[in-house]
Amino acid sequence: GENVEQHPSTLSVQEGDSAVIKCTYSDSASNYFPWYKQELGKRPQLIIDIRSNVGEKKDQRIAVTLNKTAKHFSLHITETQPEDSAVYFCAASSYSSASKIIFGSGTRLSIRP
Amino acid sequence: NAGVTQTPKFQVLKTGQSMTLQCAQDMNHEYMSWYRQDPGMGLRLIHYSVGAGITDQGEVPNGYNVSRSTTEDFPLRLLSAAPSQTSVYFCASFQGNGNTIYFGEGSWLTVV
């Protein structure tokens, strides 16, 4: 089955700087890679996703890149703001494993004022 | 459109008691899942379902049962609660690969 590894587990950056979170996956058939943000005490919510036919996707200050050959994908947050402080989760799925979504272990991002 | 609704939000159980966490979705999603999240930890898959009458085990299924008699409902049963089951439980639903996963608000369970 799919295995997703996420690094780092914690990340502290100065407000205004960039943050990068990386995930690797094991199943070469995976074709969908979402990122979820979970604020303290809240439910995880989708912030951006990418499909395997695309190498990069941007949405304002966040972007996701995908390297299918190396089987890794990354979340990039630029010009970080206090409201970016949260736990971020990655996931990978394929048509055959779509029902069994396995998430990475999460990254706790803290933005220092 | 309420999305994914979980009840109860908070529950304290004594060791050995049983209980059911309720989950309902009104988006007509085929796929539903239960995750647990321990403090400072990630989301671990307990059980999942690909449609009414079909369920399967996830990463950490021991001590839990599920059923899916309708598309809308996916209850999670704790058979004999143990302190190790103290956690936050999230129900989720989605329409298949490549679609957004919608989570419920979570159920905070403490077993004493």
Side-chain angles (χ1 to χ4, degrees):
Chain A
E2 178 66 273
N3 183 46
V4 179
E5 294 191 358
Q6 183 172 346
H7 300 281
S9 57
T10 61
L11 180 61
S12 178
V13 301
Q14 194 77 30
E15 183 177 349
D17 287 350
S18 296
V20 180
I21 303 170
K22 299 181 180 180
C23 288
T24 60
Y25 61 97
S26 60
D27 187 354
S28 56
S30 291
N31 62 355
Y32 177 63
F33 308 91
W35 286 89
Y36 283 77
K37 176 183 180 182
Q38 185 182 29
E39 297 177 351
L40 189 62
K42 301 289 183 63
R43 74 186 92 186
Q45 292 190 298
L46 179 72
I47 55 170
I48 195 168
D49 57 14
I50 191 168
R51 287 167 173 75
S52 59
N53 58 347
V54 176
E56 183 177 5
K57 182 177 179 180
K58 288 183 179 180
D59 183 3
Q60 298 183 349
R61 295 186 299 107
I62 61 173
V64 56
T65 58
L66 171 65
N67 183 326
K68 287 188 63 181
T69 302
K71 288 194 263 185
H72 68 70
F73 57 110
S74 301
L75 177 71
H76 304 254
I77 305 174
T78 59
E79 300 173 10
T80 53
Q81 300 172 3
E83 55 265 34
D84 295 328
S85 292
V87 178
Y88 293 81
F89 295 99
C90 62
S93 72
S94 66
Y95 286 111
S96 61
S97 69
S99 56
K100 192 175 180 179
I101 303 293
I102 304 296
F103 286 87
S105 53
T107 296
R108 183 174 299 277
L109 175 62
S110 301
I111 308 301
R112 302 191 304 271
Chain B
N1 192 336
V4 180
T5 303
Q6 284 181 239
T7 56
K9 194 171 179 69
F10 300 98
Q11 183 73 48
V12 179
L13 282 179
K14 293 182 179 179
T15 297
Q17 286 185 319
S18 62
M19 78 158 296
T20 299
L21 298 177
Q22 302 291 344
C23 177
Q25 52 95 5
D26 61 1
M27 297 173 282
N28 202 33
H29 288 166
E30 289 297 320
Y31 296 79
M32 296 187 74
S33 305
W34 276 102
Y35 291 88
R36 63 175 287 174
Q37 185 175 33
D38 300 327
M41 301 277 290
L43 298 160
R44 292 188 291 170
L45 182 64
I46 305 172
H47 285 286
Y48 62 98
S49 170
V50 301
I54 307 170
T55 63
D56 207 345
Q57 297 181 349
E59 301 171 279
V60 288
N62 292 340
Y64 307 94
N65 272 354
V66 292
S67 60
R68 185 97 180 269
S69 56
T70 67
T71 298
E72 294 78 18
D73 301 301
F74 191 43
L76 178 71
R77 298 183 186 85
L78 280 71
L79 309 173
S80 177
S84 60
Q85 293 179 303
T86 294
S87 191
V88 182
Y89 292 84
F90 287 97
C91 180
S93 78
F94 59 108
Q95 195 51 25
N97 189 43
N99 290 280
T100 302
I101 302 169
Y102 293 90
F103 287 87
E105 291 186 303
S107 296
W108 273 254
L109 176 66
T110 301
V111 183
V112 298

